[in-house]
Amino acid sequence: MTNTTFSAFGSLIKLLPTGTVFVFQFLNPVVTNSGECNATNKWLSSIVLVACGLSCAFSSFTDSYIGSDNQRHYGIVTPKGLWPFSEPEKSKSVDKLWLGDFVRAALSLLVFAVLGLLDTNTVHCFYPGFEVTQKSLLQVLPTAIGVFAGGVFMIFPDKRNGIGYPLNSNSDSNHTSNISDETAPIDNA
């Protein structure tokens, strides 16, 4: 029971890349001028929001594995399989792109959009009257979206170990054995 709980919690943590959220939380007060925006601040804030949102979605299409050299390798998941960054000529057909990757990307983007668009500085910058008139929405919507997305990922945990996440024991053994067998030299003797 405890392993299942920790595994589900680990899947929930992987919903948003912490580096992306940190970058947004660090840059947002600067680019929004702490909510006191002019046209330039709105453009800069929009660029940061879009870039961080794309980063959240992109991380859903990354994976890592332990290669035959016992080193951790990273790659992008494609319809043909994992395309490693370090050895692009050695495509890994073990982990192909599937519907769950797009669902994870959409939910990650949704959670980040709620986090980013309902941030106090963003609200003051883009729609200042919204906080006064829709205070209950600002309090309820992030929690509701978080519970929904968290529930989906607790029921359907993610098998990917994206960039910046530790390998878990289940996927580590699967990735290592599958990738190592595929990349091992063939002995024709």
Side-chain angles (χ1 to χ4, degrees), residues 28-30 32-37 119-126:
N28 191 41
V30 175
T32 61
N33 193 25
S34 298
E36 303 295 323
C37 285
D119 180 79
T120 304
N121 291 325
T122 306
V123 169
H124 287 176
C125 181
F126 287 100

Side-chain angles (χ1 to χ4, degrees), residues 14-189:
K14 288 200 270 185
L15 187 58
L16 279 180
T18 53
T20 302
V21 174
F22 174 76
V23 166
F24 174 76
Q25 292 293 331
F26 179 74
L27 290 178
N28 191 41
V30 175
V31 297
T32 61
N33 193 25
S34 298
E36 303 295 323
C37 285
N38 58 30
T40 304
N41 294 110
K42 287 183 180 182
W43 275 102
L44 290 173
S45 183
S46 298
I47 290 169
V48 168
L49 279 165
V50 168
C52 289
L54 289 175
S55 175
C56 285
F58 173 74
S59 70
S60 299
F61 301 104
T62 61
D63 204 356
S64 61
Y65 65 93
I66 302 294
S68 56
D69 59 354
N70 288 328
Q71 295 293 317
R72 188 168 181 180
H73 299 276
Y74 300 97
I76 298 174
V77 181
T78 68
K80 293 182 180 181
L82 186 66
W83 185 57
F85 295 139
S86 58
E87 303 169 341
E89 68 278 355
K90 292 185 179 181
S91 179
K92 315 296 183 214
S93 62
V94 175
D95 290 323
K96 295 181 179 182
L97 195 61
W98 67 296
L99 179 65
D101 295 323
F102 291 101
V103 171
R104 182 171 187 270
L107 286 176
S108 294
L109 189 59
L110 177 66
V111 170
F112 179 77
V114 168
L115 174 83
L117 294 174
L118 297 182
D119 180 79
T120 304
N121 291 325
T122 306
V123 169
H124 287 176
C125 181
F126 287 100
Y127 25 91
F130 187 76
E131 186 176 34
V132 175
T133 60
Q134 302 295 329
K135 190 171 187 168
S136 61
L137 180 66
L138 290 173
Q139 292 172 342
V140 173
L141 189 61
T143 305
I145 297 294
V147 167
F148 171 72
V152 168
F153 283 106
M154 288 181 78
I155 295 169
F156 305 106
D158 188 25
K159 65 177 185 159
R160 303 242 183 256
N161 298 301
I163 296 172
Y165 297 107
L167 293 173
N168 60 39
S169 59
N170 294 339
S171 61
D172 185 20
S173 62
N174 291 340
H175 279 45
T176 303
S177 63
N178 291 338
I179 301 299
S180 296
D181 292 344
E182 187 177 320
T183 60
I186 299 173
D187 187 10
N188 292 331

